[in-house]
Amino acid sequence: MAGGGWQHLASSARELASASATKTRAVTATLGKAVVQHEAATSREVRHLVAGEGSGEPGSSPVPPGADGQHVEGPREPAQQGPCEVQDAYGFTLEVTPEQAAILERCRARQEHVRAKWQPAARGPDGLPPPDVLKKLCRKGVPPDLRHQVWLQLSGANARRQRLPPHYYADAALQGGGSPFAHQIELDVPRTFPSNEWVQSEAGQSALRHVLRAFAHHNPRVGYCQSMNYVAAMLLLVLGHDEEDAFWVLASLIDDNDDGILYKDMYASNLNGTHVEMRSLHELVQHKLPRLGAHMDALGCDMSILATDWFLCLFCTSLPAETVARVWDALLNEGPKVLFRVALALLKLHEPLLLAQDNEGELLRATRRLAAKAFDRDALMKVAFEGVGSMPMERINSYRARKQREVDREFAERETQRNLAAAVQEHGFVLSTQDAALLKRSGDAEATAQGSGGGSSQGGSSAAGGSPARGLAASSSVGAAGGSRWVSSLQALGSKAKDTLDRGRMRIAHRRGQSLGASPTVLEGLEPAP
């Protein structure tokens, strides 16, 4: 509409204020027709502009946007795509963004490229490439359809099976039903990977139950520890639901007496080995990622809270399943130092974000959230093997040896504290001032842990439970009577209580001697007075 038209409309609008009803209706009709004509003209002009046309007349040029009071709409933003659901190779449903879906596709394409390198690789008598070639190939990933046979060889599962009778697994699974761990296994089987359709099926539950029962019978010293259910279930998924193969790989990972792939006592009842691994990881973080290590210490972020499930579940409850399989490709070939490398890689990849967290809870939540979205397995493994520097096994073993001595001393002291508490609570014995002080430290530590919302559930409290106040109060009156180490004003020292107290004190002396490099002897003055 020309500028004169708008002036006419404005003039007509001014007349509305003082006009009669008839005049008002006439002016309103005029305004309505003008607006309709304006919208029609504008629509035609916009269409011409979008199509690159002019006025429609030969030789005419396009009308510039905004000319003669026109309104031209800009291009619309493309609709944002929300998360979508995809299923991975092992039956887990993932909710991913378009960018994450593209990462998964890129990793799968890379996987096909790696497959071409596995096929022509020369094979030895065990069906695997030579060690130097095998190490590189495992770090790049074993093709999913080859994992079954490769893992059986890498882990030593085939060799273990051949050393025992053919029906060993079937017998162990049957007899494991009477294991003292059978009840806990029965509770944990339905809780394992609740989102995985096969694991939750009748066949999956039965297979998982059989594998765990068989291992509990096979290795009664370890028996069953929560988290083994996830490891066994992941093995079943990767190994084509084959129970016996999953059992033998599980045994190769966990078997104790330095015969398994993982560090000894990782799954012991007191998690002794896991404590050692967590402290060793703390040392490595301090060495490799000093800023993050100092930040975690300042926030009071305990490494055992952050990474225990990484090591006990071998990342299978933290990382996406296809990423976990990549980690296990290298773990079964190179051993547990791969767990340290992957842990450091996760922290290094997201170090700036973790440094920005200002409290322990937020840092832990951020770490778990980032691990759950680690779909780019190629990037993670590249950082693990190329981005965290040299990590010889000798260094890890030196950390372990030192941390093992620390853990042994602490566990021995806790055992002595439990023995002392039992003597006071159950037998009414009165202790010397020195032993009362040891018992008081245990009570104070327990009270502090409870007041702060908990602490380690492994061996941190007295066996008898309750407060040691009665023993401490009684010791103040007769603690030094006659210089005797064990004095009772009510009854003679019973042989059973005497033995348990002596055993606890001698064990801590033995551990102390080990930590100092001395021969395991009982220190003088520890024997109770006759």
Side-chain angles (χ1 to χ4, degrees):
M1 179 180 292
W6 286 113
Q7 293 172 0
H8 173 69
L9 287 175
S11 175
S12 299
R14 283 194 297 270
E15 294 177 11
L16 284 175
S18 57
S20 63
T22 304
K23 180 67 173 177
T24 300
R25 284 195 295 272
V27 173
T28 301
T30 303
L31 286 170
K33 291 179 183 178
V35 169
V36 169
Q37 293 172 359
H38 170 63
E39 289 179 348
T42 302
S43 177
R44 284 195 304 273
E45 290 165 357
V46 169
R47 286 198 299 271
H48 292 166
L49 287 170
V50 172
E53 300 175 358
S55 63
E57 298 178 2
S60 64
S61 59
V63 179
D68 199 17
Q70 301 174 57
H71 171 71
V72 180
E73 293 185 5
R76 292 176 180 246
E77 291 287 335
Q80 293 293 326
Q81 293 183 344
C84 60
E85 289 189 349
V86 298
Q87 194 169 68
D88 68 13
Y90 301 110
F92 291 95
T93 300
L94 309 174
E95 187 176 90
V96 297
T97 64
E99 293 79 9
Q100 291 166 341
I103 289 172
L104 288 172
E105 287 303 317
R106 187 169 67 246
C107 288
R108 286 168 188 154
R110 172 80 175 167
Q111 181 178 284
E112 292 303 314
H113 176 71
V114 171
R115 176 194 300 279
K117 297 184 178 180
W118 274 87
Q119 298 297 342
R123 304 301 172 105
D126 57 358
L128 297 176
D132 55 336
V133 177
L134 181 64
K135 181 176 180 180
K136 293 178 181 178
L137 289 176
C138 286
R139 288 185 172 190
K140 292 181 180 297
V142 181
D145 58 324
L146 299 180
R147 277 197 175 113
H148 193 150
Q149 295 306 317
V150 171
W151 281 16
L152 290 175
Q153 287 297 125
L154 285 178
S155 64
N158 281 340
R160 285 172 181 269
R161 187 190 338 227
Q162 292 167 6
R163 294 198 296 262
L164 293 166
H167 301 293
Y168 182 86
Y169 168 72
D171 293 342
L174 183 62
Q175 296 180 52
S179 162
F181 303 98
H183 177 66
Q184 188 60 51
I185 290 172
E186 200 63 32
L187 292 176
D188 288 345
V189 164
R191 305 168 181 167
T192 308
F193 292 139
S195 63
N196 188 283
E197 183 177 351
W198 182 83
V199 173
Q200 289 300 308
S201 69
E202 184 177 350
Q205 299 275 287
S206 177
L208 180 57
R209 182 181 299 110
H210 292 161
V211 172
L212 295 174
R213 285 179 176 179
F215 185 84
H217 175 76
H218 164 75
N219 191 333
R221 195 182 84 85
V222 174
Y224 171 73
C225 172
Q226 288 178 317
S227 71
M228 286 169 55
N229 52 320
Y230 290 101
V231 176
M234 187 68 193
L235 287 170
L236 284 166
L237 291 170
V238 176
L239 301 178
H241 309 161
D242 190 307
E243 291 181 25
E244 187 167 0
D245 287 345
F247 164 76
W248 287 113
V249 177
L250 183 67
S252 299
L253 283 165
I254 299 176
D255 265 350
D256 50 357
N257 299 324
D258 296 325
D259 196 26
I261 294 173
L262 301 176
Y263 187 64
K264 62 183 180 181
D265 292 333
M266 281 274 293
Y267 298 90
S269 59
N270 58 8
L271 300 181
N272 183 301
T274 304
H275 284 283
V276 174
E277 296 293 72
M278 291 299 98
R279 297 182 188 205
S280 300
L281 177 60
H282 181 267
E283 289 284 333
L284 285 167
V285 170
Q286 297 293 328
H287 178 71
K288 297 287 187 178
L289 304 170
R291 288 182 62 211
L292 182 59
H295 182 62
M296 292 176 65
D297 287 347
L299 296 180
C301 185
D302 192 337
M303 188 61 70
S304 62
I305 299 176
L306 176 72
T308 292
D309 61 331
W310 292 357
F311 278 62
L312 276 177
C313 298
L314 308 182
F315 289 100
C316 71
T317 59
S318 305
L319 299 174
E322 290 181 320
T323 306
V324 172
R326 279 290 302 276
V327 174
W328 290 16
D329 290 340
L331 169 67
L332 295 175
N333 184 53
E334 299 183 48
K337 74 173 181 180
V338 171
L339 300 178
F340 291 103
R341 283 191 170 276
V342 173
L344 289 171
L346 272 173
L347 297 175
K348 183 179 179 66
L349 276 169
H350 306 291
E351 184 176 14
L353 179 60
L354 298 179
L355 287 171
Q357 308 306 312
D358 60 2
N359 65 75
E360 177 188 12
E362 288 300 324
L363 191 146
L364 294 173
R365 282 189 287 272
T367 305
R368 289 169 181 166
R369 186 169 58 250
L370 294 166
K373 298 298 183 182
F375 297 114
D376 196 343
R377 49 192 184 269
D378 292 329
L380 177 64
M381 299 308 285
K382 184 178 179 64
V383 173
F385 291 114
E386 300 177 17
V388 297
S390 174
M391 196 183 301
M393 203 62 206
E394 291 78 10
R395 177 186 298 166
I396 294 176
N397 284 336
S398 70
Y399 290 152
R400 283 173 166 173
R402 188 165 71 253
K403 300 305 177 183
Q404 184 70 67
R405 290 193 294 269
E406 290 179 7
V407 170
D408 284 344
R409 284 198 303 271
E410 291 177 14
F411 275 46
E413 182 170 339
R414 289 176 186 176
E415 183 177 350
T416 301
Q417 290 167 347
R418 289 195 296 270
N419 289 336
L420 294 173
V424 171
Q425 298 289 345
E426 298 173 12
H427 304 286
F429 295 132
V430 180
L431 309 179
S432 69
T433 304
Q434 176 184 355
D435 298 315
L438 177 64
L439 187 58
K440 185 176 185 300
R441 286 203 301 274
S442 173
D444 291 346
E446 182 179 354
T448 301
Q450 291 175 349
S452 61
S456 173
S457 62
Q458 301 295 331
S461 60
S462 65
S467 169
R470 287 184 298 166
L472 293 175
S475 70
S476 63
S477 61
V478 289
S484 174
R485 206 169 273 281
W486 309 110
V487 181
S488 175
S489 59
L490 302 176
Q491 62 186 64
L493 187 64
S495 61
K496 180 179 179 181
K498 177 179 181 298
D499 288 343
T500 188
L501 291 168
D502 288 349
R503 190 163 53 252
R505 295 177 67 79
M506 286 190 291
R507 182 165 182 181
I508 193 170
H510 170 74
R511 296 298 190 189
R512 187 180 294 116
Q514 281 185 325
S515 69
L516 297 174
S519 59
T521 58
V522 179
L523 300 184
E524 294 183 5
L526 286 181
E527 300 83 351

